[in-house]
Amino acid sequence: QVYKGLDIITNKVSPQEQRLCRHHMISFVDPLVSNYTVVDFRDKAVALISYIFARDKIPIVVGGTNYYIESLLWKVLINTKEKASAAPGPVTDRKVELEQLDGVELHRRLRQVDPEMAAKLHPHDKRKVARSLQVFEETGIPHSEILHQQQEEEGGGPLGGPLKYPHSCILWLHADQAALDQRLEKRVDDMLAAGLLEELRDFHRRYNREKVAENRQDYQHGIFQSIGFKEFHEYLVSEGNCSPETSALLLQKGIQALKQVTKRYARRQNKWVRNRFLRRPGPNVPPVYGLEVSDLLRWEEDVLKPALEIVESFIQGREPPAEPVKMEYDVNENKRSHRVCELCDRVIIGDREWAAHTRSKSHLHHLKKRRKLEAASHAAETEGDSGGTETSGKDSSLPL
């Protein structure tokens, strides 16, 4: 939502709703800028939060991109060298440059300069590997060492530095999965009715067509990360160059893909809340209050009223009437453990991921297959040792 224009695909709050309460951090970045990062977001947002506090107001951070919310709550990001904004010409992003390299080569470079970080990152995770290399190149300090420094600060913990705003609280709006899926499908239908295709078509015509022709389209950075661009790629590039029947099929394919990826993203958001906010070890975690939004007819009773009571309690310095959500977590769990499954030829990062992998169908299939091979091999060895002879009755009890 930080990008100018493209209001439908980025699901911006309506102008009518914006007039009800002052909004910030919306529609101020040129959509053609591809190197806007979470660090840029954090720096501008933190300054705004200070400005809001200075006016004796309370900032409310709204959104579903939880990684960006984390950057405001905890000291977890790393500033590299200042961008050469005064230099003529486009600013190059070293991380983007590194991501163009082969993943194996990237991981090899990281192992040379920061073996600890390399052991924690999956070799296929090019974006994180590239970021760690960028941190080392632009600071001269291994990424892992900087993270250790943050964690060791007063108030820090296993997953990052201290909490920046100690009197924060999190309101987690969650819904029954079936109700949520139905609502998300309707949202996509509403976006289409509001002119989503015209918005995408116009932006593709003005900017993306040239990149597609040169095979330089990039759905990993900038505005193109928004859900919707990649899903309608085939439809947009083939429009006018194929039969109406084919175009209609590609359109339906894009719509279904958009609905599917939207629901998948919502599931990831909820998983992030559970893993990063509720199971986060350490004392520096704000309380998370769950608000049930499955039935929109009960919005006043289930969401608005309890939310106001919780926030008013925090303002007045007393205990809220609601209990925060609690989830058990293992203080010894290592989210960055590095294991190699020789059986499946896979690298697994994290204790929980390893436990899930060992229970997965593919792993159990490979395990069953190996046991069969071992059993057959053992039987063959046994038969060879017996020399192919039969034992007499009195020797039949002797082991082979």
Side-chain angles (χ1 to χ4, degrees):
Q1 297 191 359
V2 301
Y3 294 98
K4 296 174 187 173
L6 299 161
D7 296 348
I8 300 171
I9 195 172
T10 54
N11 276 294
K12 288 194 177 81
V13 61
S14 69
Q16 293 82 1
E17 289 174 306
Q18 288 191 44
R19 283 195 287 270
L20 296 174
C21 174
R22 187 171 179 184
H23 285 65
H24 303 271
M25 304 293 286
I26 294 178
S27 298
F28 65 94
V29 179
D30 188 315
L32 302 188
V33 170
S34 63
N35 61 343
Y36 184 82
T37 69
V38 66
V39 175
D40 299 314
F41 171 85
R42 179 208 58 190
D43 292 347
K44 185 174 177 67
V46 165
L48 274 168
I49 289 172
S50 297
Y51 167 68
I52 293 168
F53 276 137
R55 292 188 296 118
D56 203 25
K57 302 290 183 182
I58 295 177
I60 303 173
V61 181
V62 184
T65 311
N66 298 310
Y67 179 53
Y68 279 62
I69 295 175
E70 270 200 38
S71 75
L72 302 181
L73 288 174
W74 290 280
K75 184 177 178 180
V76 291
L77 298 180
I78 296 168
N79 290 333
T80 52
K81 67 181 181 183
E82 291 294 320
K83 293 178 181 175
S85 54
V91 178
T92 58
D93 188 330
R94 180 58 180 154
K95 177 173 170 285
V96 176
E97 290 178 346
L98 287 167
E99 286 177 25
Q100 307 309 311
L101 299 175
D102 176 70
V104 175
E105 170 61 16
L106 272 180
H107 203 259
R108 185 191 65 79
R109 290 190 187 186
L110 185 60
R111 281 201 309 271
Q112 290 179 336
V113 299
D114 192 350
E116 181 182 342
M117 205 66 198
K120 293 177 179 179
L121 297 178
H122 198 290
H124 295 163
D125 196 344
K126 288 178 69 172
R127 298 187 72 175
K128 288 185 179 178
V129 174
R131 173 57 180 163
S132 289
L133 272 173
Q134 180 196 22
V135 168
F136 177 77
E137 287 183 6
E138 297 183 357
T139 66
I141 306 171
H143 193 176
S144 58
E145 186 177 327
I146 297 176
L147 294 178
H148 283 312
Q149 291 171 1
Q150 287 183 346
Q151 294 164 6
E152 288 167 4
E153 289 183 35
E154 185 178 353
L159 294 180
L163 190 65
K164 292 186 205 171
Y165 307 103
H167 301 295
S168 309
C169 75
I170 298 173
L171 303 177
W172 178 29
L173 278 62
H174 58 88
D176 173 75
Q177 195 62 57
L180 180 60
D181 286 347
Q182 186 178 15
R183 197 173 300 162
L184 292 172
E185 291 216 4
K186 183 181 182 302
R187 187 174 82 175
V188 171
D189 293 335
D190 291 343
M191 289 165 67
L192 289 162
L196 173 65
L197 292 178
E198 288 74 15
E199 184 178 86
L200 287 173
R201 205 176 278 126
D202 177 62
F203 194 69
H204 174 70
R205 185 169 49 246
R206 288 191 294 117
Y207 174 68
N208 199 36
R209 184 180 288 172
E210 179 186 336
K211 288 203 164 193
V212 169
E214 298 173 5
N215 198 28
R216 291 189 297 114
Q217 70 270 17
D218 179 7
Y219 293 111
Q220 301 299 319
H221 300 96
I223 185 67
F224 290 101
Q225 294 177 88
S226 299
I227 292 174
F229 279 107
K230 186 164 61 174
E231 287 67 34
F232 285 101
H233 174 85
E234 282 187 89
Y235 171 72
L236 292 171
V237 299
S238 65
E239 197 174 22
N241 300 317
C242 63
S243 68
E245 294 78 14
T246 301
S247 186
L249 285 172
L250 290 174
L251 174 58
Q252 285 305 313
K253 181 182 176 183
I255 292 171
Q256 292 308 312
L258 178 56
K259 289 181 176 181
Q260 192 63 38
V261 77
T262 301
K263 289 186 281 189
R264 194 180 304 135
Y265 182 63
R267 283 170 169 78
R268 284 207 308 270
Q269 288 176 316
N270 284 328
K271 185 179 178 182
W272 186 291
V273 171
R274 287 191 291 269
N275 290 341
R276 303 288 292 183
F277 294 156
L278 297 176
R279 291 196 178 105
R280 192 182 188 109
N284 58 340
V285 185
V288 178
Y289 297 92
L291 300 170
E292 174 67 47
V293 294
S294 296
D295 186 357
L296 294 182
L297 296 176
R298 291 185 53 82
W299 176 266
E300 297 278 338
E301 305 98 304
D302 294 349
V303 184
L304 182 59
K305 185 181 176 183
L308 287 172
E309 288 175 348
I310 291 165
V311 173
E312 285 173 357
S313 298
F314 267 79
I315 293 171
Q316 295 165 7
R318 55 184 173 82
E319 283 293 316
E323 284 290 320
V325 181
K326 299 288 185 184
M327 290 191 80
E328 292 184 5
Y329 61 85
D330 183 359
V331 293
N332 298 314
E333 179 188 348
N334 186 351
K335 294 178 181 289
R336 288 296 183 189
S337 62
H338 183 282
R339 295 182 179 89
V340 178
C341 179
E342 304 284 356
L343 198 60
C344 304
D345 191 26
R346 283 187 58 189
V347 175
I348 309 295
I349 305 295
D351 290 352
R352 193 176 304 155
E353 287 73 12
W354 174 255
H357 173 72
T358 56
R359 295 191 301 267
S360 68
K361 286 184 178 179
S362 61
H363 179 79
L364 294 175
H365 171 74
H366 284 107
L367 189 61
K368 186 177 179 181
K369 191 175 177 181
R370 187 178 71 177
R371 284 174 177 167
K372 279 185 177 180
L373 289 172
E374 288 176 347
S377 175
H378 179 69
E381 288 176 7
T382 303
E383 187 176 337
D385 290 343
S386 69
T389 60
E390 295 183 17
T391 58
S392 64
K394 65 178 180 180
D395 294 327
S396 61
S397 62
L398 293 175
L400 293 174

